Amino acid sequence: MSEHTPTGAAPQEPTGSEAARLDQGHVQGTGGVPEQFANPGLPPHVLRNADLDEKAAKRAERQVALLFLVSILGTVLFLVAYFMVDVDTQVWVPITNEMSLSNLLLGLGLAFSLLGIGLGAVHWAKTIMPDAETVEMRHPMRSTDEDRTGFVDTMLEGGEAAQLTRRPLIKMTFGAAMGLFAVPLLVQIGGSLGPLPKNDLSVTFWDKSENGRSNQLRLHRDPEDTPIRPADVTIGSVFHIQPAGLLELDDDKLSEMSKTSVLLMRLDPKQFQDTDRGRKARDWGYQGIVAYSKVCTHVGCPVGLYEQTTHHLLCPCHQSTFDVTNDCEVIFGPAGRPLPQLKITVDSKGYLIADQPFQEPVGPSFWERG
């Protein structure tokens, strides 16, 4: 007797078509395999109340429609909160204490929108949609041509069985709930990107003007914020420059600093190339002093490396190289265009000033500039 055999029970050898019971312990099989397993079949189908009583079906229809209506109201609540509730308005909420009323309503609106659709679909499937069990015999993976052509008919029959045509209230509320549910997603994508940049990408602090006339802003050392004279700029030296008055800004100071940063250096006027670009670079400078945007035209890294012997500016991020003697033409690297030049001169007191703002957008290209 096996140690696993219950007391008083004799071990039995299974036949080739019988399964061994769990209480038989270790069983030595005979190697027999049944020719065919018995079909376990399906339990008898139980009809639901909605299948037997039209009043119950109508009641279920109204319940499903009510859940879809909850989803619609949740979507409307989300939109109202998004456009009409100030994000700074605070409200007391149990457990979390103070929180933004806008965030609370947005969360509740989106939650009810999702919950209404989910519960409505589940209740619709459990009470009205067909629930008859079916058995499909295995067949080759590819359907026959007849099955393929009959797919559309099957889908139409399914829609008819789901009583979409007979239950217009469900069809209308479900369609409205699903259609409105996409609106919060689109609103977040469109509205959360912030205001359009307008011309902010093309205009810098160097464009500052009063009474319609452009100010010729002085070039100030960064970070000392002191003016600079031509005599201070010796051949081989490099100065980091910001426009005068920039540090007095209260708003968008960092954004403006990132666009207005300039590198100032001096070359022998004879070292500029005898090309259109080289002559333009020399003419826009002052006695060999030239000023170029510090923002790389590749991805906006700071171009801060200057080779005096070759007169090259290098971007440390991706090694874009610009030739100062030829108007900062790109001679190596991924940058797509030269660094913009700032035309400079001197004022009545002998300080370097911007004769005009940048004549092209600084930094990387954007959708309005390829």
Side-chain angles (χ1 to χ4, degrees):
M1 180 182 295
S2 170
E3 62 180 357
H4 296 285
T5 303
T7 303
Q12 299 179 1
E13 292 292 334
T15 64
S17 59
E18 295 179 354
R21 300 196 311 271
L22 295 178
D23 61 354
Q24 288 183 276
H26 297 292
V27 176
Q28 182 69 34
T30 60
V33 178
E35 295 182 359
Q36 183 177 358
F37 289 99
N39 186 349
L42 292 174
H45 178 65
V46 179
L47 295 177
R48 303 162 299 183
N49 290 336
D51 299 327
L52 302 172
D53 186 1
E54 181 60 22
K55 291 184 178 180
K58 281 289 186 181
R59 184 168 57 254
E61 178 186 7
R62 290 193 295 269
Q63 292 169 348
V64 172
L66 179 61
L67 291 170
F68 289 152
L69 182 61
V70 169
S71 173
I72 295 172
L73 295 177
T75 302
V76 173
L77 174 62
F78 180 95
L79 296 175
V80 171
Y82 190 90
F83 289 106
M84 300 184 64
V85 178
D86 189 353
V87 294
D88 295 327
T89 302
Q90 298 290 314
V91 64
W92 185 86
V93 179
I95 300 177
T96 61
N97 295 326
E98 293 289 332
M99 71 176 299
S100 171
L101 178 60
S102 175
N103 291 343
L104 175 63
L105 295 180
L106 289 176
L108 290 175
L110 198 57
F112 281 116
S113 181
L114 279 168
L115 188 65
I117 290 177
L119 293 180
V122 170
H123 194 54
W124 182 7
K126 286 184 171 295
T127 58
I128 298 178
M129 289 186 182
D131 68 335
E133 298 86 356
T134 58
V135 176
E136 182 179 6
M137 301 303 293
R138 291 187 177 183
H139 55 78
M141 295 299 294
R142 184 188 182 282
S143 300
T144 63
D145 293 337
E146 292 77 8
D147 290 337
R148 288 169 173 258
T149 56
F151 176 76
V152 175
D153 295 336
T154 302
M155 294 297 295
L156 293 177
E157 291 174 1
E160 182 68 24
Q163 302 188 23
L164 281 174
T165 56
R166 294 182 55 194
R167 312 291 177 183
L169 184 58
I170 288 182
K171 181 170 62 176
M172 290 187 295
T173 54
F174 176 69
M178 292 299 294
L180 286 177
F181 176 69
V183 175
L185 304 178
L186 298 177
V187 168
Q188 292 181 83
I189 293 174
S192 299
L193 295 177
L196 294 175
K198 299 181 180 179
N199 64 343
D200 290 348
L201 299 176
S202 303
V203 176
T204 69
F205 194 81
W206 295 107
D207 294 86
K208 182 181 178 183
S209 62
E210 293 180 0
N211 300 324
R213 299 182 61 182
S214 177
N215 291 332
Q216 293 180 315
L217 300 177
R218 283 182 176 177
L219 277 62
H220 277 204
R221 297 177 179 88
D222 180 26
E224 295 87 350
D225 196 28
T226 56
I228 187 169
R229 297 178 183 272
D232 300 331
V233 187
T234 58
I235 292 180
S237 61
V238 177
F239 289 86
H240 297 266
I241 299 297
Q242 292 285 359
L246 177 66
L247 297 182
E248 300 173 4
L249 287 178
D250 294 326
D251 299 325
D252 299 327
K253 181 186 297 184
L254 292 179
S255 176
E256 288 297 335
M257 289 180 68
S258 67
K259 295 190 297 181
T260 58
S261 297
V262 168
L263 286 176
L264 191 72
M265 64 216 80
R266 188 169 201 159
L267 286 70
D268 187 331
K270 297 179 182 179
Q271 293 177 321
F272 290 95
Q273 295 187 30
D274 189 19
T275 62
D276 291 340
R277 299 189 63 88
R279 289 188 291 270
K280 174 258 184 183
R282 183 188 61 224
D283 295 341
W284 279 31
Y286 180 79
Q287 297 179 356
I289 303 174
V290 290
Y292 283 93
S293 171
K294 188 179 176 180
V295 186
C296 182
T297 54
H298 177 217
V299 292
C301 295
V303 180
L305 302 177
Y306 175 59
E307 291 183 345
Q308 177 186 353
T309 56
T310 59
H311 308 296
H312 291 168
L313 284 173
L314 285 81
C315 176
C317 292
H318 305 97
Q319 290 71 54
S320 292
T321 307
F322 306 88
D323 186 359
V324 180
T325 65
N326 198 32
D327 198 24
C328 276
E329 176 189 21
V330 182
I331 60 175
F332 181 79
R337 56 189 176 93
L339 296 174
Q341 185 180 11
L342 183 69
K343 189 175 182 180
I344 60 174
T345 184
V346 295
D347 61 11
S348 58
K349 295 185 179 180
Y351 290 105
L352 288 171
I353 61 172
D355 193 36
Q356 63 183 20
F358 287 115
Q359 298 302 295
E360 57 181 308
V362 301
S365 300
F366 46 91
W367 56 87
E368 294 177 356
R369 177 182 183 131

